[in-house]
Amino acid sequence: MTVPLWLWVATVGGLLALIALDLVIVDRKPHEVTTGEAARWVIFYISCAVLFGIGLWFFAGHHPAIEFFTGYITEYSLSVDNLFIFMIIMASFKVPAIHQHRVLLVGILLALAMRSVFIAVGAALIAQFVWVFFLFGAILVWTAVSMVRNKDEDEEYEENAVTRLVRKVFPVTEDYVGHKSFVKRDGKRWITPMFVVIVAIGSADLLFAVDSIPAIFGITQDAFLVFTANAFALMGLRQLFFLLGGLVSKLVYLSYGLAVILGFIGAKLFLHALHEYDAVPDWLDINNWVSLGVIVVVLTITTVASLMKAKRDPESVHANGLDLHAEAPEEREDAR
């Protein structure tokens, strides 16, 4: 699909306008996001993605639209599995409930900016070298195996190299200072835990991109579709964090379902590369209608089976013990 520069500019501008709207409406006055509010925003962002896909179908044809919807569903599904890590980070840093939306907003914006670099590099490599499909396929298969192998291990947050580097370079205040990321004390500039947790969220998502970017390139090699599918998935992820909450821990089979999807897309990438080398017949080059069907069926079975298991055997639900409703120091002081 040929995408003119003006469409890139218009799309990025539209996405920034949506984010600005979200920032003005939700974060104008810091508050704890309610379930109802989060549900309305999730529906809004999903509706925006659906309308974008319909626009693709109308103006560019059904093939790009199916690629977008398949990529969007895949990225959104992988993002749900990452929500538990976000919850662990939030609890580890004791982020006040009224500031969690801002942390996720800025952190995910950083993640989208960094993912854009990954997408540009990936698109350039794929355009030049067919063997990159083998590399991406191997990454996905390895990730799928690792997800199943490590399913029963307890997940604990350990600060990554980027977060540790930030702590070494800048002095960090002990407490949050409202929603500020920087403060000046005694003529010296300090960063607050707010800045550190934003870096932690953004850098954690960058690690998630190691499997999500190859996965979507297994569905479409069009950089525009890859970028927009990632953007819509990440934009809706913030509100999904507040909507799902503890429900994420009930999706006990989600990792297995995602492992199947990643393994399937990995196999598809191998077959596509072999097809490009004329080593397999055309019918083995899996089309996106089949991909979309497989992904939807696997996710549906995984979700239904998880909820049935959680209802039948509550002990199987992973007890995360996370407190996502920490009060800000000033709130605790007022309570006294």
Side-chain angles (χ1 to χ4, degrees), residues 256-261 292-303:
Y256 294 115
L258 293 177
V260 171
I261 291 173
L292 180 60
V294 169
I295 291 168
V296 170
V297 168
V298 170
L299 288 176
T300 301
I301 293 175
T302 299
T303 302

Side-chain angles (χ1 to χ4, degrees), residues 122-142:
L125 288 174
I126 285 175
Q128 296 294 323
F129 309 106
V130 174
W131 57 262
V132 173
F133 287 110
F134 288 119
L135 175 61
F136 282 1
I139 291 173
L140 294 181
V141 172
W142 173 258

Side-chain angles (χ1 to χ4, degrees), residues 145-207:
V145 172
S146 298
M147 290 179 75
V148 174
R149 182 182 300 168
N150 301 328
K151 177 66 178 66
D152 296 327
E153 293 183 4
D154 292 333
E155 296 190 59
E156 295 182 2
Y157 175 69
E158 294 183 4
E159 293 189 359
N160 56 40
V162 176
T163 309
R164 291 195 300 270
L165 178 62
V166 168
R167 287 190 181 277
K168 288 182 179 179
V169 174
F170 302 99
V172 184
T173 62
E174 291 186 6
D175 297 318
Y176 289 88
V177 185
H179 62 263
K180 294 180 180 179
S181 296
F182 303 92
V183 293
K184 199 168 184 179
R185 293 179 176 175
D186 301 324
K188 186 178 181 180
R189 185 170 294 277
W190 294 63
I191 62 174
T192 69
M194 178 72 71
F195 181 85
V196 181
V197 71
I198 287 172
V199 172
I201 292 286
S203 56
D205 186 85
L206 186 60
L207 294 176

Side-chain angles (χ1 to χ4, degrees), residues 9 15 63 121 141 228 243 260 271 276 283 317 324 327 330:
V9 173
L15 292 171
H63 186 69
V121 173
V141 172
T228 50
L243 178 62
V260 171
L271 290 173
E276 291 293 310
W283 62 270
V317 177
L324 297 179
E327 292 181 325
E330 57 268 26

